[in-house]
Amino acid sequence: MTVPLVHAPVDVGLRAWVLADAEELAAMYADAREELTADAPWRSPAWFTVDGQRERIRSCLDADSVEGFVITASGAIVGNLSLDEIRRDILQSADIGYWVAPGARRRGVATRAIGLAVGHAFGCLGLHRIHATVDIDNRASSRALEDNGFHRVGVIRGFAMVGGGWRDHHLYQLSAEDWRAEPA
Ligand SMILES: CC(C)(COP(=O)(O)OP(=O)(O)OC[C@H]1O[C@@H](n2cnc3c(N)ncnc32)[C@H](O)[C@@H]1OP(=O)(O)O)[C@@H](O)C(=O)NCCC(=O)NCCS
């Protein structure tokens, strides 16, 4: 199988998940377990194990509607990014989600990884629109999207249960037309 590889000039890369990533992903998530459990208490202890990550990668690889990537910096895995809910019907759309390990944050990793994913979604997959939903207090995520040309188009009230409460989220979108007209 050919593994798609996309590189930005500044050292940040996106690589499609392979099963062999399970070990490195499990170690990375273990280091951030407190944050990941607080944000998403539904994550079981099994999710944090190598087997749990292997299962997660396997189900992603089996699904036509998901593309999962590891984010790399200097070749090391520092996060993950996924295009979810990929629709090949009249929408031709996907949701984007991402996470960067705490030790790799504030160095432009998410911003560059999103840029690579956008290029892949529009340039390679031929999608028409990408959506993102961001907790209204998540300034870093909003900035990373805005720096890539995403527009805030609304607020979804009580969108997701985070930290024990239903949180409002901003809805962002970027269309292929906007991206081509004004590349970030
Ligand atoms: C949100 C997240 C992905 C950002 O990753 P990152 O690699 O640190 O982001 P970047 O370094 O590309 O920074 C993006 C922008 O946010 C700003 N930023 C970064 N961390 C910030 C913080 N804690 N508070 C305020 N602004 C912040 C950066 O300065 C940059 O803004 P700029 O373009 O004006 O310079 C990361 O914090 C994370 O994984 N958080 C937990 C999971 C999450 O929230 N995922 C997104 C769900 S929608």
Side-chain angles (χ1 to χ4, degrees):
M1 188 182 85
T2 312
V3 179
L5 184 65
V6 194
H7 273 299
V10 276
D11 195 38
V12 174
L14 273 190
R15 177 172 56 71
W17 269 346
V18 292
L19 284 176
D21 290 324
E23 208 160 314
E24 210 174 330
L25 285 172
M28 178 178 70
Y29 293 138
D31 286 345
R33 189 176 182 129
E34 206 172 315
E35 172 187 284
L36 289 166
T37 308
D39 283 355
W42 46 264
R43 285 194 176 109
S44 67
W47 189 91
F48 288 90
T49 65
V50 176
D51 281 349
Q53 286 304 310
R54 204 174 284 124
E55 193 45 46
R56 178 180 173 223
I57 295 168
R58 201 191 313 274
S59 58
C60 168
L61 294 175
D62 286 348
D64 290 335
S65 58
V66 183
E67 288 213 9
F69 300 88
V70 290
I71 305 173
T72 60
S74 305
I77 295 177
V78 295
N80 70 267
L81 181 150
S82 57
L83 294 169
D84 303 297
E85 310 288 344
I86 298 174
R87 301 264 305 248
R88 288 312 201 165
D89 53 12
I90 58 168
L91 297 185
Q92 295 294 327
S93 65
D95 291 335
I96 188 169
Y98 37 85
W99 182 89
V100 174
R105 290 180 189 167
R106 305 210 80 155
R107 290 170 17 205
V109 170
T111 303
R112 292 186 181 96
I114 292 167
L116 292 170
V118 166
H120 176 70
F122 292 143
C124 300
L125 301 183
L127 294 178
H128 169 65
R129 189 182 307 274
I130 307 173
H131 305 107
T133 44
V134 180
D135 187 296
I136 56 167
D137 289 335
N138 193 341
R139 196 68 208 119
S141 186
S142 292
R143 286 291 309 158
L145 290 167
E146 288 161 6
D147 286 347
N148 279 291
F150 279 76
H151 300 289
R152 189 188 295 171
V153 292
V155 176
I156 308 178
R157 300 286 173 206
F159 177 70
M161 169 70 76
V162 182
W166 289 102
R167 303 274 311 162
D168 295 348
H169 279 55
H170 286 130
L171 174 62
Y172 280 88
Q173 73 166 36
L174 179 63
S175 69
E177 288 76 13
D178 288 349
W179 177 69
R180 290 204 174 90
E182 213 175 313

